[in-house]
Amino acid sequence: MFRSETDTEVLPHLIERELKAGGGDLEQAVIRALSLVEGAYAIAVVSADYPDEIVAACNSSPLVVGIGEKELYLASDELAFGGKVGAVAHLKDGEVVVLKRNGSYTFRGIPLSEVKTRLEKPSVVDEVNKGGHAHYMYKEILEQPQAMRNVLAGRLREGNPVTFGGFTPDIEGRLRDARRITLVGCGTSLFAAMAGKAFTERLSGVVCEAEQAAEFYYRDPAITSGDVVIGISQSGETADTLRAMTLAKERHALCLGVTNRVGSALSKRVRAGIYLHAGPEVAVASTKAFTAQAAALMLLAVHLAELKKCPVSEELVGRLLLLPALMADTLRKEDEIKRIAYQCKDAKRMIVIGRGYGLPLALEAALKIREVAYIDAHGLSASELKHGTLALVEPGVPVVAVMPSGALRDKMLSNLEEVKARGGRVILLEPPQDLPDELVPIVLAPLVQLLAYHLGVARGVDVDQPRNLAKSVTVE
Ligand code: AGP
């Protein structure tokens, strides 16, 4: 009798039992074992008795075969192939593939001719390296001006309406006439969605919700064909977000996606989408994808406003075109933020506050500090402080403020008086002069990312691969 707390352990025991039960080879034993399990999995099975093959299978979890010159590869993400393959084949749910040492491969029940039609060019062509930097996270923070150029390229041109490849007239019509737009995502993508919600409602007047994907799914939302549901996901493989999109599709909503991964499961589950083209993001902590997602959602909000004939200020569009330069300016403030990080590195707790458009960035900042510095960081609206969290402010507790550039500035300053009165250490993140408030969560993002990064490095954390976390969460 076999007992285990770990689901992964169950499978090899089941396969071994099927092998011992006899009848057939490793592949058949794997298939029989998988018929006894339920849930999400992506597995590669090797056996000393079958040294020249690997049997792999997946269900609701990504698995991709990479075909190199002489080698065959298996991974949950093309990034792992590091540019060593000339073609890839993504497994569909329930599929089983056998890779042989002689370089041949068979997809069970699928003629090779058909498999050949499914081969794709790899979306990651180069070996992703750190570019001479100490960490992928740092490199990816510095890549944001270029990522901004990529997300704007071909979509926003001075004096022209925003255009998105793949948005057919039917899609544009349903977008224009949508009764509600719902942005769904998890973690950092959820905070980008929250920024998108504010942009969309402000510019187009259309009701827009930002929903945590799993909560959205299990809330049994009242979604109809008049709804537009947009999945936000860097990897395009996050199980909760995919499940939310499946539900939206079943309820006949127009499903769109915003992702950084061509060929990802999300891109295959929606009618059309916006690729970020931010380049591979390797560090677990998402950085350039956050600002690229927020910028893409800002473009979508401008586009929707144009479709609905709502006026969009030339000044805002002008500043959108300046985003790459504005990000580069923000990055030049690194020394100051690094000095603050080293002063706060022993903090047991930190609080990050924002208001209006800055709130999603305050929430994102707290997540980054938790993720890569392991500091108990709370993100919230400054207006919420006196409703409870102010109790956490003691002398020396760092309170980071994402300062608005617009009307809410005075409100924020009076909230900060409450903090100073309790001895909190106030750290102001100031937007550039005259920056439209809408752009604060994008332009100030590198500051909070660098703060978290330097806090993590100062505390000796493996900032690229923090404990207990995965780059894409492919199980519920
Ligand atoms: C962010 O730094 C984290 N890695 C995590 O919260 C991430 O944003 C979340 O898992 C969603 O990932 P996705 O964008 O690939 O769907």
Side-chain angles (χ1 to χ4, degrees):
M1 186 54 182
F2 165 75
R3 284 192 179 290
S4 169
E5 301 298 315
T6 323
D7 52 7
T8 322
E9 240 183 355
V10 172
L11 270 172
H13 281 275
L14 270 180
I15 296 166
E16 184 188 41
R17 191 185 71 178
E18 291 303 325
L19 273 172
K20 285 202 179 115
D25 57 14
L26 181 61
E27 181 189 1
Q28 275 137 356
V30 170
I31 290 164
R32 285 200 302 272
L34 290 177
S35 69
L36 302 169
V37 301
E38 59 184 50
Y41 59 78
I43 61 169
V45 183
V46 293
S47 156
D49 303 334
Y50 296 83
D52 298 327
E53 65 185 59
I54 299 174
V55 178
C58 71
N59 184 43
S60 299
S61 205
L63 197 58
V64 53
V65 175
I67 296 142
E69 242 164 71
K70 295 199 191 71
E71 302 86 12
L72 294 173
Y73 299 81
L74 259 179
S76 63
D77 191 315
E78 285 183 42
L79 264 177
F81 296 148
K84 294 193 179 64
V85 301
V88 297
H90 290 263
L91 269 73
K92 293 185 181 153
D93 286 352
E95 282 186 347
V96 175
V97 64
V98 180
L99 308 183
K100 300 270 184 187
R101 189 183 294 283
N102 62 11
S104 68
Y105 53 90
T106 52
F107 278 63
R108 182 175 177 75
I110 305 174
L112 193 56
S113 56
E114 194 193 320
V115 172
K116 295 273 180 214
T117 62
R118 280 183 39 195
L119 294 183
E120 301 166 45
K121 275 180 76 42
S123 63
V124 181
V125 287
D126 297 318
E127 170 103 26
V128 182
N129 59 48
K130 293 180 185 151
H133 297 290
H135 299 101
Y136 284 109
M137 182 181 179
Y138 186 68
K139 171 188 169 240
E140 288 154 10
I141 292 173
L142 298 187
E143 285 175 342
Q144 290 181 96
Q146 185 54 48
M148 274 304 125
R149 270 185 281 282
N150 298 355
V151 77
L152 297 175
R155 294 166 174 160
L156 183 65
R157 282 174 294 266
E158 193 106 35
N160 287 281
V162 168
T163 54
F164 290 110
F167 277 32
T168 60
D170 167 52
I171 288 173
E172 307 246 315
R174 288 186 70 181
L175 204 48
R176 183 196 56 235
D177 306 336
R179 75 183 184 114
R180 173 183 50 192
I181 294 177
T182 302
L183 309 171
V184 293
C186 304
T188 291
S189 294
L190 172 60
F191 300 139
M194 288 173 72
K197 167 190 165 65
F199 303 150
T200 305
E201 290 198 339
R202 163 88 170 70
L203 295 182
S204 71
V206 175
V207 175
C208 184
E209 307 294 352
E211 297 255 11
Q212 202 287 334
E215 292 304 323
F216 172 81
Y217 179 82
Y218 286 104
R219 183 171 59 74
D220 195 15
I223 295 289
T224 68
S225 58
D227 278 282
V228 174
V229 178
I230 308 180
I232 319 289
S233 174
Q234 187 284 132
S235 61
E237 302 292 348
T238 298
D240 289 339
T241 305
L242 294 175
R243 184 181 274 268
M245 295 313 293
T246 304
L247 178 84
K249 201 171 178 180
E250 284 160 4
R251 301 199 172 167
H252 312 295
L254 169 64
C255 293
L256 303 176
V258 174
T259 184
N260 196 31
R261 300 305 304 280
V262 177
S264 61
L266 177 64
S267 67
K268 292 176 179 153
R269 209 161 286 195
V270 296
R271 277 282 304 281
I274 302 173
Y275 284 124
L276 301 179
H277 304 302
E281 192 179 67
V282 178
V284 166
S286 184
T287 53
K288 61 180 178 176
F290 171 72
T291 50
Q293 285 164 340
L297 291 170
M298 173 58 95
L299 288 180
L300 188 61
V302 171
H303 186 50
L304 183 57
E306 288 165 347
L307 288 174
K308 296 182 82 68
K309 310 261 178 286
C310 302
V312 178
S313 82
E314 298 232 339
E315 199 235 343
L316 178 63
V317 172
R319 287 301 177 99
L320 273 175
L321 287 164
L322 287 177
L323 273 176
L326 289 165
M327 301 297 269
D329 289 347
T330 304
L331 288 167
R332 276 186 270 279
K333 298 190 183 124
E334 179 180 357
D335 293 350
E336 172 61 16
I337 209 81
K338 184 174 179 182
R339 190 178 57 73
I340 292 169
Y342 278 78
Q343 288 169 351
C344 299
K345 70 179 176 54
D346 302 319
K348 295 273 173 299
R349 175 189 314 135
M350 292 179 75
I351 296 171
V352 190
I353 53 178
R355 291 197 71 150
Y357 291 103
L359 174 57
L361 184 60
L363 299 170
E364 169 59 8
L367 174 66
K368 286 277 128 2
I369 294 169
R370 293 194 297 270
E371 268 190 291
V372 301
Y374 305 158
I375 294 177
D376 175 24
H378 303 257
L380 70 162
S381 167
S383 61
E384 268 295 293
L385 266 178
K386 49 189 177 297
H387 300 288
T389 307
L390 196 58
L392 293 181
V393 178
E394 299 168 280
V397 168
V399 177
V400 180
V402 178
M403 294 304 289
S405 59
L408 286 169
R409 201 174 165 73
D410 294 346
K411 303 271 182 227
M412 189 73 161
L413 290 172
S414 68
N415 296 134
L416 287 169
E417 287 312 314
E418 314 255 356
V419 170
K420 284 186 204 145
R422 276 84 183 173
R425 176 190 168 166
V426 171
I427 297 161
L428 295 186
L429 303 183
E430 289 284 7
Q433 203 71 27
D434 309 330
L435 182 79
D437 219 11
E438 292 90 336
L439 299 183
V440 162
I442 301 176
V443 173
L444 289 188
L447 286 184
V448 304
Q449 296 158 351
L450 286 168
L451 178 65
Y453 171 74
H454 286 299
L455 279 168
V457 171
R459 293 162 66 92
V461 174
D462 177 352
V463 290
D464 278 346
Q465 187 60 61
R467 65 189 182 209
N468 310 339
L469 300 178
K471 180 60 187 169
S472 72
V473 182
T474 55
V475 291
E476 256 204 82

